Amino acid sequence: FDTADRDLIHASRGSVELWNIINLTGDVHPMHLHLVAFQIKERVPFRGPVDDRGVPQGVKDYIAAWHVDPDSRVPILGYGTGPHHSAEPFLELSRAQRPAANERGWKDTIICPPGQVTRIIVPFTGIRFETNRPYRTQAGRSVRGYVWHCHILEHEEWDMMQGYRVV
């Protein structure tokens, strides 16, 4: 939650965006977005053979290409469709899986399996109120906007969240 203002994600009011939640960890993460309901488009595994620890080669290549901390325990948001930390060259796109029947409705929290990219369609439409008001976190920090985060209790208690603003 110590993200500098320049590091915030800026979603565009009135747009529908594709967010790629990239889980490089070995754990399942229940990811939650404040403010909006969204739908799962698909889940895509990383490409390549798996090593003796169960890590696909595509994960290693992604880490090397983007200088991502391989020891991070928190999923990464490959935001939008642009080149910012894009995982597409490292994915097995032909193995993309549509969401299960019970996941096809509107969600605010979804499961992100390890070694995969969970793609979600996020509508920032119909928002007619101020999305940049300040509020105080449980840890006493004053922040503006909204957050996306993992619903693992330990992650929440340590304020392991990232802010975003709708502009």
Side-chain angles (χ1 to χ4, degrees):
F1 229 19
D2 291 330
T3 305
D5 195 54
R6 70 183 179 284
D7 296 326
L8 287 176
I9 297 163
H10 290 92
S12 298
R13 186 184 298 258
S15 70
V16 177
E17 298 185 358
L18 173 65
W19 284 23
N20 299 302
I21 302 175
I22 302 165
N23 188 352
L24 302 177
T25 75
D27 301 315
V28 171
H29 289 267
M31 300 305 294
H32 171 67
L33 272 69
H34 287 209
L35 176 66
V36 294
F38 54 87
Q39 292 185 320
I40 301 171
K41 178 183 179 194
E42 62 193 357
R43 291 187 178 94
V44 186
F46 278 86
R47 66 168 167 72
V50 175
D51 69 14
D52 57 347
R53 291 180 31 227
V55 179
Q57 184 62 45
V59 168
K60 296 176 189 177
D61 294 343
Y62 177 87
I63 288 169
W66 293 108
H67 308 288
V68 174
D69 178 3
D71 296 322
S72 174
R73 294 177 36 192
V74 184
I76 297 164
L77 178 64
Y79 172 64
T81 55
H84 181 70
H85 288 94
S86 174
E88 288 213 11
F90 311 100
L91 299 178
E92 194 69 53
L93 295 172
S94 64
R95 293 181 45 219
Q97 293 183 338
R98 305 271 305 147
N102 66 323
E103 294 183 305
R104 293 188 184 145
W106 291 100
K107 305 290 180 190
D108 72 351
T109 304
I110 45 128
I111 296 299
C112 295
Q116 293 192 23
V117 174
T118 302
R119 294 175 162 198
I120 60 175
I121 300 165
V122 188
F124 292 101
T125 56
I127 298 171
R128 298 196 186 356
F129 54 89
E130 174 58 47
T131 61
N132 200 27
R133 288 193 179 129
Y135 63 93
R136 194 160 298 285
T137 71
Q138 290 179 341
R141 295 184 183 103
S142 178
V143 296
R144 293 180 178 274
Y146 290 84
V147 294
W148 71 281
H149 63 94
C150 176
H151 259 301
I152 292 175
L153 185 57
E154 180 184 29
H155 293 179
E156 288 185 59
E157 288 183 352
W158 285 95
D159 276 348
M160 295 170 77
M161 304 179 186
Q162 182 172 15
Y164 73 90
R165 291 194 185 146
V166 180
V167 293

